[in-house]
Amino acid sequence: MLDTSARLLRLLSLLQTPRAWPGSELAERLGVSGRTVRNDIERLRELGYPVDATRGTTGGYRLGAGAAMPPLLLDDEEAVAVTIALRTAMQGAVPGTEETSLRALTKLEQVLPSRLRRRVRTLMAYTVAVPADRPVPAVSADVLTTLVSACRDQERLRFDYLDHAGSPTRRIVEPYRAVNWGRRWYLVAWDVEREDWRTFRIDRIQPCTPTGPRFAPREPPGGDVAAYVALQVSGAAWRHHARVTVHAPAAAVAERINPAVGTVEALDADTCVLVTGADTMQTLAVYLGMLDFDFDVTEPPELVTHLRGLAERYARSTGKRPLRWR
């Protein structure tokens, strides 16, 4: 009886993963016959767990949605990972979830075996979060849920939005994804009136209900929505932009450039163009120096002047004669 109960728990753990399990694979994992698997599936159904079965080459068994949540079966590393995630959520990245995260963390600790409970309590007692050096934008859990639901259902959204200058606007969009970057949330959507992709800060969005008609999905911008957000957000914040010809293959430069710092465009096998930016010319100069490749600056003129002055200062620091610029 103990072996059967343990096997049922193992089977339930496998079925909780988001995939369909062929009966033969379940039998191999559990070390039993296909008939035993079918009998165990029926036992789970009798206990109230809805196990769906589909036929075909891609078919198999999977756990369906039911009235009650099944036992959450986690291995040691999964339990620690969930603890860290809940602890992070308690810091208030999404207001309204702090108390819920604390309750979930408390319940998790109560059911953990002693060996894991000690690890979890150590994590909670000896980890400290440094407060943000600036106010963290508050994102409503209700607003976030509304947006991602519209993404899932492919329904147009109308919302009031405060732009970067704080001016109110009304937008009509086809939402694609909500992207989390650090402690900020962004909505990537197709702006219907501007006929282009746009990135919106979710803490500045006030959705209007009901949602609009359904729309046909589009190809995501650039093929990578996370990289798109990183580029759009950082680029919009730059005070100074630069276009630099780098004497190195594009692939080699791209390995050293985060999408949030710039984009790389190949010119030929040994040369590429780096489009980048920063808040100050000093920061731009540091970025370029860290490339460790030869480069030519084509714009802006202020950066050329700054690099010439920097080159002369470096030359003086080594005791050499200052460089002469034509």
Side-chain angles (χ1 to χ4, degrees), residues 6-244:
R7 191 175 66 246
L8 286 176
L9 286 174
R10 174 59 177 159
L11 175 59
L12 185 59
S13 175
L14 292 172
L15 292 175
Q16 286 183 98
T17 57
R19 54 162 291 190
W21 288 88
S24 57
E25 188 172 351
L26 288 175
E28 182 180 353
R29 289 289 190 102
L30 299 173
V32 297
S33 66
R35 180 177 180 180
T36 300
V37 169
R38 291 190 294 273
N39 291 336
D40 287 348
I41 292 293
E42 289 303 318
R43 290 191 180 96
L44 289 179
R45 288 169 175 163
E46 292 173 359
L47 292 171
Y49 299 113
V51 181
D52 300 330
T54 56
R55 298 180 180 276
T57 56
T58 60
Y61 298 102
R62 67 169 66 240
L63 194 65
M69 179 177 169
L72 190 60
L73 305 177
L74 303 173
D75 61 28
D76 290 9
E77 298 305 320
E78 289 172 344
V80 173
V82 171
T83 299
I84 295 173
L86 288 172
R87 181 67 186 273
T88 302
M90 286 169 54
Q91 299 172 10
V94 180
T97 63
E98 301 93 337
E99 183 179 350
T100 306
S101 301
L102 178 59
R103 292 201 309 267
L105 188 58
T106 301
K107 292 178 180 178
L108 177 62
E109 183 181 353
Q110 290 174 347
V111 299
L112 288 176
S114 58
R115 68 180 186 280
L116 287 184
R117 191 178 301 118
R118 177 179 174 82
R119 291 177 63 182
V120 167
R121 287 178 176 173
T122 301
L123 276 171
M124 296 182 64
Y126 293 95
T127 57
V128 180
V130 176
D133 57 359
R134 63 187 65 182
V136 178
V139 174
S140 166
D142 291 338
V143 170
L144 187 58
T145 301
T146 298
L147 298 182
V148 297
S149 296
C151 294
R152 177 199 61 200
D153 298 335
Q154 297 176 0
E155 294 179 340
R156 281 190 177 184
L157 269 175
R158 294 178 301 114
F159 56 78
D160 295 322
Y161 186 70
L162 294 178
D163 63 18
H164 186 71
S167 302
T169 61
R170 172 65 62 89
R171 300 297 183 94
I172 301 176
V173 304
E174 297 174 355
Y176 179 72
R177 289 290 188 276
V179 178
N180 176 226
W181 186 9
R183 301 194 67 180
R184 287 185 175 178
W185 289 84
Y186 299 89
L187 175 68
V188 177
W190 176 266
D191 193 307
V192 175
E193 296 179 343
R194 291 162 177 78
E195 297 185 341
D196 198 5
W197 290 98
R198 290 290 189 271
T199 301
F200 303 95
R201 285 252 306 258
I202 293 182
D203 57 295
R204 298 175 180 169
I205 291 177
Q206 186 57 50
C208 302
T209 55
T211 54
R214 294 177 62 88
F215 60 87
R218 302 173 184 269
E219 287 295 322
D224 185 339
V225 68
Y228 174 78
V229 169
L231 179 60
Q232 294 297 311
V233 172
S234 59
W238 291 336
R239 292 182 56 191
H240 304 284
H241 295 75
R243 187 176 180 86
V244 181

Side-chain angles (χ1 to χ4, degrees), residues 242-326:
R243 187 176 180 86
V244 181
T245 301
V246 184
H247 299 281
V253 177
E255 289 180 356
R256 307 186 183 189
I257 295 295
N258 186 288
V261 175
T263 60
V264 181
E265 305 168 3
L267 292 180
D268 53 43
D270 301 312
T271 314
C272 62
V273 171
L274 170 63
V275 180
T276 184
D279 285 341
T280 66
M281 291 297 173
Q282 290 83 355
T283 303
L284 265 176
V286 170
Y287 285 163
L288 296 176
M290 291 175 64
L291 283 177
D292 202 25
F293 293 125
D294 290 342
F295 59 88
D296 300 319
V297 178
T298 54
E299 59 181 73
E302 296 85 356
L303 179 59
V304 175
T305 301
H306 177 74
L307 288 174
R308 285 176 174 174
L310 195 60
E312 292 179 355
R313 184 177 301 118
Y314 284 165
R316 289 193 298 270
S317 71
T318 60
K320 295 184 178 181
R321 297 177 58 185
L323 298 177
R324 296 294 181 184
W325 298 91
R326 290 179 292 177

